């Protein structure tokens, strides 16, 4: 089962030097339990947007209660981002490998504004008016114009499988590669896409960045779920 929790306490262990720490989650306050949740982000008015099977659920960020639910029956919402007063989410239709995939753009009132078909993806990042989707079956990141949805040239990576991405200011994306135990920061300059740094992390599969410029990585090292924090320079 999935859940969303507010972290009350962290045990901190210095494992890679002065700037990198491993965090083991201890006491946590449940916000959403007993429901599979693929992604959760802060959205309009500071509310939590939770991606569920067939539903986008909006939660009170303080009390955790449900404010509203937006139905996407027959679809799994696998990634979401609040961008320039819009909510951008990625949908995968329930079913086999031939299922349809879409990006949907909602207004701050959660009313649908745009929708277009995409590749079969794993994660989504919106940056510099472009929607980036990591491919589920190809070693690439598909790129689309925001908000129109016009397909742009893909970014070819050439490593293993992408398991997660996160926006990193300015004009950068953090990409996880679980097959090769890699965390990589890519800098984007117009049509150029270059690696700023690469870091080894055992079995990374989810990531996010915070307002302090730190990169939070959830990994499955030695079958133990843990959080690692890396600075913006990869240290």
């Amino acid at each position: 089962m999935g859940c969303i929790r507010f972290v009350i306490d962290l045990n901190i262990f210095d494992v890679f030097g002065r700037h990198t720490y491993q965090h083991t989650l201890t006491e946590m306050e449940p916000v959403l339990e007993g429901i599979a949740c693929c992604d959760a982000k802060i959205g309009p008015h500071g509310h939590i947007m939770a991606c569920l099977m067939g539903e986008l659920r909006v939660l009170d960020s303080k009390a955790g209660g449900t404010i509203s639910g937006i139905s996407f029956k027959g679809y799994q919402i696998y990634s979401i981002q609040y961008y320039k007063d819009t909510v951008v989410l990625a949908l995968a239709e329930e079913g086999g490998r031939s299922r349809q995939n879409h990006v949907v753009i909602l207004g701050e009132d959660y009313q649908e504004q745009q929708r277009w078909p995409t590749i079969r993806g794993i994660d989504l990042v919106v940056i510099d008016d472009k929607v980036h989707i990591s491919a589920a079956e190809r070693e690439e990141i598909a790129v689309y114009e925001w908000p129109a949805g016009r397909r742009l040239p893909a970014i070819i990576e050439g490593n293993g499988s992408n398991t997660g991405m996160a926006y990193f200011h300015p004009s950068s994306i953090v990409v996880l590669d679980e097959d090769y135990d890699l965390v990589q920061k890519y800098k984007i300059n117009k049509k150029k896409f270059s690696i700023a740094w690469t870091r080894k992390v055992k079995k990374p599969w989810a990531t996010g960045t915070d307002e302090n410029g730190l990169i939070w990585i959830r990994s499955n090292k030695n079958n133990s779920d843990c959080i690692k924090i890396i600075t913006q320079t990869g240290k």
Side-chain angles (χ1 to χ4, degrees), residues 11 14-15 23-24 31 36 41 60 87 118 131 146 148 160 163-164 171 200 204 207 215:
N11 292 327
D14 188 349
V15 293
H23 296 240
T24 301
V31 179
K41 299 282 175 55
D60 189 306
V87 176
T118 68
V131 178
W146 174 95
T163 50
S171 299
K200 279 281 189 179
T207 186
I215 304 165

Side-chain angles (χ1 to χ4, degrees), residues 20-31:
T20 306
Y21 301 90
Q22 175 175 311
H23 296 240
T24 301
L25 301 181
T26 55
E27 299 179 31
M28 294 181 288
E29 178 184 349
V31 179

Side-chain angles (χ1 to χ4, degrees), residues 61-154:
S61 59
K62 295 182 179 179
T66 298
I67 295 174
S68 63
I70 299 89
S71 176
F72 289 93
K73 187 177 180 180
Y75 287 88
Q76 170 69 64
I77 308 171
Y78 65 84
S79 190
I80 193 168
Q81 185 174 331
Y82 183 41
Y83 181 78
K84 290 188 176 181
D85 299 328
T86 66
V87 176
V88 184
L89 51 89
L91 302 176
E93 188 178 23
E94 296 180 52
R97 296 171 65 87
S98 62
R99 62 187 183 181
Q100 297 183 21
N101 296 263
H102 294 90
V103 161
V104 177
I105 297 179
L106 310 177
E108 288 191 306
D109 57 358
Y110 296 102
Q111 296 298 309
E112 186 170 326
Q113 297 180 348
Q114 297 270 2
R115 179 187 290 239
W116 69 79
T118 68
I119 64 167
R120 182 167 173 258
I122 294 176
D123 208 348
L124 168 149
V125 167
V126 190
I127 180 174
D128 297 341
D129 292 346
K130 296 180 180 64
V131 178
H132 300 78
I133 297 181
S134 55
E137 298 172 334
R138 299 188 296 275
E139 298 174 0
E140 71 176 45
I141 296 175
V143 184
Y144 303 85
E145 278 187 347
W146 174 95
R150 184 171 68 92
R151 182 76 181 263
L152 301 174

Side-chain angles (χ1 to χ4, degrees), residues 1-5 32-37 218:
M1 291 293 184
C3 68
I4 300 175
R5 298 173 181 264
L32 178 69
E33 288 191 301
I35 300 175
C37 178
R218 191 171 183 179

